[in-house]
């Protein structure tokens, strides 16, 4: 599977997960399941979309109270696949991953670092909320770019928050030392994320709440 094919699939999954009102955690976990499966198993091009919705279904069963139904997911594939095909692939994925579905995600660390920020003395709740929203959009955008798979989820989350504070010109930014990463490592990831944002500003604006997008005139 090429990086371009992966990009197209994840770029398709992003609006799908938003269509169903799913959490960023569900999307991150789905991409994690997708990547881990692809690392061990070759997949035919005509089954790639089926793998995407299967990974999303498995992820939703782990983290969502009301996951989308098989019928709803297949409808988004223009009914190109049958219920049995999805169920069969679901079993294959689960067995290939040895039912080991839990994984650290950028979404988890975004929540963790944001909570630590709020507990700090003199924290600005408004800035923290805006940074969290913008960072979530940046992290979501990065999921489709294969180049970012080399970064650990915790590094990606910390760098997304750091970049969000920089772009929003916050007076009380997150102390990135809490991430445990060296300044140079954080700077490298933040620079790559900023390049991603500069190349995909319009796409990012569609991922943000309107009140946050209005604070980003550079989009």
């Amino acid at each position: 599977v090429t990086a371009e094919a992966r990009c197209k699939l994840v770029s398709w999954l992003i609006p799908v997960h938003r269509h169903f009102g799913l959490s960023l955690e569900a999307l991150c976990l789905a991409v994690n399941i997708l990547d881990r499966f692809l690392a061990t198993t070759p997949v035919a091009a005509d089954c790639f979309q089926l793998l995407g919705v299967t990974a999303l279904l498995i992820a939703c069963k782990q983290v969502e109270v009301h996951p989308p139904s098989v019928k709803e997911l297949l409808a988004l594939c223009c009914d190109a696949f049958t219920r049995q095909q999805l169920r069969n692939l679901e079993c294959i994925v689960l067995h290939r991953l040895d039912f080991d579905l839990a994984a650290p995600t950028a979404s988890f660390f975004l929540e963790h670092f944001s909570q630590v920020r709020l507990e700090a003395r003199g924290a600005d709740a408004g800035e923290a909320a805006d940074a969290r929203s913008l960072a979530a959009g940046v992290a979501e955008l990065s999921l489709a770019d294969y180049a970012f798979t080399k970064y650990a989820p915790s590094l990606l989350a910390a760098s997304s928050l750091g970049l969000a504070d920089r772009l929003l010109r916050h007076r009380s930014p997150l102390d990135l030392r809490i991430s445990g990463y060296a300044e140079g490592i954080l700077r490298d990831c933040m620079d790559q994320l900023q390049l991603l944002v500069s190349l995909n500003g319009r796409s990012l604006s569609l991922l943000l709440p309107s009140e946050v997008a209005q604070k980003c005139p550079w989009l």
Side-chain angles (χ1 to χ4, degrees), residues 25-86:
E25 177 67 13
L27 178 64
C28 288
L29 186 56
V31 174
N32 176 274
I33 291 170
L34 174 72
D35 285 339
R36 288 165 59 203
F37 182 76
L38 289 174
T40 64
T41 310
V43 178
D46 58 355
C47 292
F48 209 38
Q49 188 180 39
L50 178 61
L51 176 60
V53 294
T54 301
L56 185 61
L57 177 63
I58 293 172
C60 288
K61 287 181 177 181
Q62 302 303 304
V63 301
E64 297 289 345
V65 176
H66 301 292
S69 68
V70 170
K71 182 179 180 180
E72 290 174 318
L73 290 171
L74 291 177
L76 291 177
C77 300
C78 300
D79 291 317
F81 310 102
T82 66
R83 176 184 296 267
Q84 192 59 50
Q85 285 176 313
L86 190 151

Side-chain angles (χ1 to χ4, degrees), residues 113-129 165 170-175:
F113 292 141
S114 295
Q115 186 59 41
V116 171
R117 176 182 191 157
L118 287 172
E119 293 172 356
R121 180 178 299 178
D124 186 317
E127 285 192 355
D165 281 327
H170 283 161
R171 296 181 178 180
S172 303
L174 174 69
D175 184 353

Side-chain angles (χ1 to χ4, degrees), residues 122-139:
D124 186 317
E127 285 192 355
D130 287 346
R132 167 68 181 80
S133 294
L134 179 53
V138 172

Side-chain angles (χ1 to χ4, degrees), residues 7-218:
C7 176
K8 288 181 179 179
L9 178 60
V10 178
S11 296
W12 178 75
L13 284 176
I14 290 174
V16 167
H17 110 279
R18 286 180 168 267
H19 170 76
F20 289 116
L22 304 175
S23 63
L24 177 59
E25 177 67 13
L27 178 64
C28 288
L29 186 56
V31 174
N32 176 274
I33 291 170
L34 174 72
D35 285 339
R36 288 165 59 203
F37 182 76
L38 289 174
T40 64
T41 310
V43 178
D46 58 355
C47 292
F48 209 38
Q49 188 180 39
L50 178 61
L51 176 60
V53 294
T54 301
L56 185 61
L57 177 63
I58 293 172
C60 288
K61 287 181 177 181
Q62 302 303 304
V63 301
E64 297 289 345
V65 176
H66 301 292
S69 68
V70 170
K71 182 179 180 180
E72 290 174 318
L73 290 171
L74 291 177
L76 291 177
C77 300
C78 300
D79 291 317
F81 310 102
T82 66
R83 176 184 296 267
Q84 192 59 50
Q85 285 176 313
L86 190 151
R87 291 303 188 194
N88 289 343
L89 185 54
E90 182 181 17
C91 289
I92 292 171
V93 172
L94 291 172
H95 280 91
R96 186 69 70 181
L97 299 184
D98 199 24
F99 289 85
D100 182 13
L101 303 177
T105 65
S107 174
F108 170 84
F109 285 106
L110 280 174
E111 295 296 337
H112 171 67
F113 292 141
S114 295
Q115 186 59 41
V116 171
R117 176 182 191 157
L118 287 172
E119 293 172 356
R121 180 178 299 178
D124 186 317
E127 285 192 355
D130 287 346
R132 167 68 181 80
S133 294
L134 179 53
V138 172
E140 189 171 326
L141 196 63
S142 74
L143 288 173
D145 193 327
Y146 184 75
F148 288 94
T149 59
K150 67 180 181 181
Y151 296 114
S154 54
L155 174 58
L156 194 60
S159 299
S160 295
L161 286 166
L163 178 61
D165 281 327
R166 179 200 296 172
L167 294 175
L168 293 170
R169 299 181 179 180
H170 283 161
R171 296 181 178 180
S172 303
L174 174 69
D175 184 353
L176 295 178
R177 290 177 297 180
I178 66 171
S179 69
Y181 289 103
E183 183 179 348
I185 294 175
L186 286 162
R187 187 186 309 113
D188 170 65
C189 187
M190 287 173 64
D191 288 346
Q192 293 303 311
L193 287 171
Q194 183 149 24
L195 177 60
L196 179 72
V197 168
S198 66
L199 295 174
N200 299 274
R202 178 168 175 75
S203 296
L204 177 59
S205 66
L206 298 176
L207 302 178
L208 302 177
S210 58
E211 62 273 16
V212 176
Q214 291 173 1
K215 298 178 182 179
C216 305
W218 34 267

